[in-house]
Amino acid sequence: MSAPVGADVKLPSPHRALKGAVDAPWQQVLADTAAQGLDGVLLRTLYELSPTLDAGLLREVADTAAGLGLYLELGVGKVNPYMTAELPEIRRLGDGSYLAGMERMIEAAAAIGCHELWTATGNFQAGLPGLHKNDRYRRDAPWTDQLAATERLLARLAPVLRACGSHLNLETHEEITTLDVVRLVEAVGPDVIGITFDSGNVYVHGETAEAAARRVAPYTRMCHLRDVAIVPGPDAPDRYLVPCGEGVIDWAAVLGVLLEARPGLHLTVEPAGPHQPAMQIWSDDPRWRAAHPDLDPHELGAVLDCVGAYEHHVRSFDRPDAATLRAGGLFMREDFLRRSAGHLRSVTAAGDHTPPMKEYIR
C-alpha cells in the first residue's frame, strides 16, 4: 500500500483574516512544499488563490505545480446555507448569487484539471460558550434544518458538477458526523459528492478514526490527516491535534481501510499551528446526546478510553501532557508536516494491512 503525501495550505485572504493562513504567495507555497519533499498540496480556497478567478493565473498555478511534480487539489468554500453570510467573497463572485459563485469556482477548477474539490458544512466560533462554538448546536437553526438546506444546495450544484466531471468532497468537519456525511452523499449522488476524511474531527462526535474510516471509505476522495490527543479537561474531555503517529490513532488500520477502497488516495496532512483551542467531547451533556441520535455507545466508550491510552503515551513515550498541550506553542506548521509525513510514509511502506472489523463499527 502506498500513496502520495501532501499538505493542506490556507492562503491569506484579501477580505479577512484566516486562522492558520500561510503568509506567503502561492509560488513560494508550492516551492516550499516541493522542498519539504512532499508530493502535493491542497489550497483552500480558490477565491483566496485568485479573488477574480483569473484563468491565466490559475493555469500558471496548475502548470507550476505540475512542473514541481506536485498534485494540486483545491477547495471551493462551504455549502451550508445557514452560514454562507460568513463568506461574502463567494457571493461577490456570483454577482449577488452564492450558488453562481460556487458554480464559477467549480468550472474554473475543472478548466485547470482540478476535479476533486474540498468543501465543508460549518464553522467553529471559538469566542462562543460551550456547545455553541459549533454550528451543529446553533440556537437559531436546528441541525436537521441545516442538513436539509445543505442537501438542497448540493442538489442545485449537481448539474455543474456532472457537466465538469467533478466532485464536491464534504469534510468530516467538527459540526457533522460521518453518518450525516454519508447520508448527504447518498442523497445527492456519489457521482458528484464525495468525502474529505478528517481523522481528527470525528472524535468530538464520539467516533474513532478507525471506525469512522470504515464508514466513509467507499466515498472518500480527499483527506485531512492529523492525530489526536484526548486529555481530561475542566468541563469535558479535551481533544488536541498532534502530528500523525504521536496520538491515539492506529494509522495502519485507518490507512489500510482508506487505501483498500481507493488505492493512490492523496494523504493530505492538515497541520495544527503552534496555538490551537481545545475541542470538547461533551458526552455528559444531555444536549450533546440529543444531537447525536446515531451515537453508538460502544464506540463512544472507545473514544473515552482514549484518555487513558494517551496518558500511557505521556508516561511511556514522553508525549506532551494536558497542561503542556493547553499552554500551546508545541508544533510549528513545518515540523507538524514533517513528522506527520514521515509517519504516514513509514506506515504505507510497511506493506498491505487490512485490519479486522471491530464489533462497534456500524
Side-chain angles (χ1 to χ4, degrees):
M1 114 182 126
S2 62
V5 178
D8 174 83
V9 179
K10 298 175 185 175
L11 294 172
S13 171
H15 303 293
R16 58 197 167 94
L18 282 176
K19 183 185 71 174
V22 174
D23 187 17
W26 65 264
Q27 297 93 332
Q28 184 180 334
V29 167
L30 295 182
D32 289 349
T33 300
Q36 291 164 11
L38 297 171
D39 302 308
V41 64
L42 162 58
L43 298 178
R44 291 188 294 154
T45 63
L46 189 52
Y47 56 76
E48 289 151 7
L49 181 60
S50 174
T52 61
L53 303 184
D54 181 89
L57 184 147
L58 295 179
R59 171 50 57 193
E60 184 182 359
V61 173
D63 289 346
T64 301
L68 292 168
L70 300 174
Y71 70 74
L72 175 64
E73 296 177 334
L74 297 171
V76 290
K78 299 185 179 180
V79 288
N80 179 345
Y82 280 88
M83 50 77 58
T84 54
E86 298 169 30
L87 299 169
E89 47 270 64
I90 296 179
R91 189 173 171 190
R92 290 190 196 102
L93 280 174
D95 296 325
S97 166
Y98 193 93
L99 178 69
M102 291 290 289
E103 290 171 337
R104 283 195 64 201
M105 285 192 290
I106 292 165
E107 291 168 341
I112 60 169
C114 290
H115 297 281
E116 300 299 339
L117 306 171
W118 170 90
T119 189
T121 57
N123 275 340
F124 181 78
Q125 307 288 353
L128 293 176
L131 286 174
H132 301 303
K133 294 182 178 74
N134 186 311
D135 276 343
R136 189 180 190 90
Y137 314 103
R138 287 180 68 139
R139 297 179 62 193
D140 58 342
W143 181 240
T144 52
D145 290 357
Q146 295 182 60
L147 284 176
T150 298
E151 182 181 330
R152 288 193 294 271
L153 178 58
L154 292 172
R156 294 182 70 186
L157 289 169
V160 70
L161 289 163
R162 290 192 176 98
C164 291
S166 300
H167 288 86
L168 274 181
N169 297 313
L170 299 163
E171 182 182 341
T172 55
H173 211 235
E174 56 262 17
E175 73 286 335
I176 192 165
T177 69
T178 54
L179 287 170
D180 288 338
V181 173
V182 166
R183 282 191 284 261
L184 284 172
V185 172
E186 293 177 345
V188 181
D191 60 322
V192 292
I193 306 299
I195 291 173
T196 301
F197 177 57
D198 187 307
S199 54
N201 287 333
V202 296
Y203 286 85
V204 301
H205 297 297
E207 304 181 47
T208 69
E210 298 83 0
R214 287 198 178 275
R215 285 190 285 273
V216 303
Y219 304 124
T220 294
R221 309 182 72 90
M222 298 172 72
C223 288
H224 268 175
L225 302 182
R226 52 264 188 90
D227 218 322
V228 298
I230 312 291
V231 298
D235 302 308
D238 286 334
R239 185 226 67 180
Y240 287 94
L241 301 170
V242 297
C244 298
E246 301 181 22
V248 299
I249 293 177
D250 181 344
W251 287 101
V254 169
L255 297 182
V257 168
L258 295 177
L259 294 175
E260 182 181 30
R262 188 167 296 278
L265 176 71
H266 296 161
L267 304 181
T268 300
V269 176
E270 182 184 6
H275 300 284
Q276 56 172 301
M279 289 193 183
Q280 285 71 41
I281 303 165
W282 298 97
S283 55
D284 288 336
D285 190 314
R287 297 170 300 172
W288 185 90
R289 294 274 181 159
H292 290 85
D294 299 311
L295 185 69
D296 185 311
H298 296 291
E299 192 172 348
L300 174 61
V303 169
L304 298 178
D305 286 346
C306 290
V307 175
Y310 185 73
E311 179 58 32
H312 172 75
H313 289 350
V314 171
R315 295 192 307 268
S316 302
F317 304 111
D318 195 27
R319 302 294 190 229
D321 62 12
T324 306
L325 289 164
R326 204 161 284 126
L330 291 174
F331 312 112
M332 297 305 291
R333 180 181 182 279
E334 293 75 12
D335 190 42
F336 194 109
L337 277 171
R338 178 183 57 80
R339 288 152 68 173
S340 294
H343 185 75
L344 295 175
R345 284 171 170 161
S346 71
V347 172
T348 59
D352 292 334
H353 178 97
T354 304
M357 184 79 73
K358 302 275 184 76
E359 64 175 353
Y360 56 78
I361 298 174
R362 298 190 294 281

